[in-house]
Amino acid sequence: MTGLPASLAAALTGLGTGLGLIVAIGAQNAWVLRQGVRREHIGLVMLICAISDAVLIAVGTGAISVVSSLAPWVLEALRWGGVAYLVFFAINSFRSALRPGALEERARSRSRRSP
């Protein structure tokens, strides 16, 4: 982010990363949505999830800061490990998209095996 003060660029990067982690529908968000639809403990559920997300993001950010100051090569290793993971995930997703019936076949074979 050129032209911005370093602290603002870091804050915006952190905000974007945090939103990317929180907004994606995962197990926690699906459960929060379910609780909302059922109208059960909505405020408490949102409060606990928001606090736990904030704590986990802060601890993760702090830990990476400490580790990277002790061993600067760790950030490069994490960066390229992340690139490798995303490329692997993209290739597998592309393969799955080329075989749209594969998911149904896999589900059918699993249902046959279960008693």
Side-chain angles (χ1 to χ4, degrees), residues 7 20-21 25 38 44 47-49 51 54 58 60 70 76 82 87 90 92 95 112:
S7 60
L21 293 171
I25 297 295
R38 297 169 88 185
L44 182 62
L47 180 67
I48 290 171
C49 290
I51 290 172
L70 296 174
E76 264 322 287
V87 167
N92 283 341
R95 284 183 178 166
R112 287 184 205 138

Side-chain angles (χ1 to χ4, degrees), residues 15-111:
L15 178 66
T17 303
L19 285 174
L21 293 171
I22 292 170
V23 172
I25 297 295
Q28 177 185 337
N29 288 354
W31 183 74
V32 169
L33 288 171
R34 185 176 131 242
Q35 292 300 106
V37 168
R38 297 169 88 185
R39 299 187 190 283
E40 294 178 352
H41 315 290
I42 298 168
L44 182 62
V45 166
M46 288 175 33
L47 180 67
I48 290 171
C49 290
I51 290 172
S52 65
D53 283 346
V55 167
L56 289 171
I57 290 170
V59 169
T61 304
I64 288 296
S65 175
V66 169
V67 169
S68 68
S69 68
L70 296 174
W73 59 268
V74 170
L75 281 180
E76 264 322 287
L78 288 173
R79 176 180 297 130
W80 290 108
V83 167
Y85 170 75
L86 289 174
V87 167
F88 173 77
F89 189 76
I91 289 170
N92 283 341
S93 296
F94 186 69
R95 284 183 178 166
S96 293
L98 292 176
R99 293 178 282 124
L103 190 58
E104 286 109 22
E105 290 172 23
R106 191 176 305 149
R108 270 188 247 122
S109 69
R110 283 185 184 164
S111 66

